[in-house]
Amino acid sequence: MSDAVSDEGTRASAPIYDDKAHVRGKLDLTDADWQRAAEPDADPDGEYVEIAFVPHTDGKTYIAMRNSKHTGPDDTVLVFTESEWDAFVEGAKAGEFDEPW
């Protein structure tokens, strides 16, 4: 398959569909119930992945994911749609994110 090239000789990119544009930066995480992926006897001060299922006024539930050591209002939170989350989990189960060493 070849990439389309414009009259100016630059490659045309595929259109980007952002199905979270209306919630980006506006998802209220104030009352999010963060769940930590850790063993019961894990160090409570350790560094873990946390997720929260966050309902939105659009009727959809979004999945937020963050690092337990970075929970401030200006820290990074990844937000997934339900279908994106399903694909992410399936990829993790299949080893797509395993470290190569």
Side-chain angles (χ1 to χ4, degrees), residues 56-95:
H56 189 264
T57 57
D58 65 4
K60 296 179 183 176
T61 297
Y62 294 89
I63 296 84
M65 182 169 67
R66 69 181 183 184
N67 180 315
S68 65
K69 289 289 188 183
H70 303 280
T71 60
D74 295 325
D75 288 323
T76 301
V77 174
L78 301 177
V79 176
F80 298 85
T81 63
E82 290 176 328
S83 60
E84 289 170 336
W85 181 252
D86 291 343
F88 174 77
V89 169
E90 288 303 312
K93 287 179 181 178

Side-chain angles (χ1 to χ4, degrees), residues 97-101:
F97 308 111
D98 290 355
E99 295 176 354
W101 52 90

Side-chain angles (χ1 to χ4, degrees), residues 39-57:
E39 297 295 323
D41 61 344
D43 178 2
D45 295 323
E47 187 170 11
Y48 305 98
V49 170
E50 295 179 328
I51 62 169
F53 296 89
V54 184
H56 189 264
T57 57

Side-chain angles (χ1 to χ4, degrees), residues 2-34:
S2 64
D3 292 326
V5 178
S6 70
D7 291 339
E8 294 83 30
T10 59
R11 293 198 185 282
S13 62
I16 296 172
Y17 176 70
D18 185 359
D19 58 351
K20 296 183 298 264
H22 67 288
V23 297
R24 193 168 312 287
K26 299 176 187 144
L27 194 60
D28 185 5
L29 301 174
T30 306
D31 295 323
D33 181 19
W34 292 99

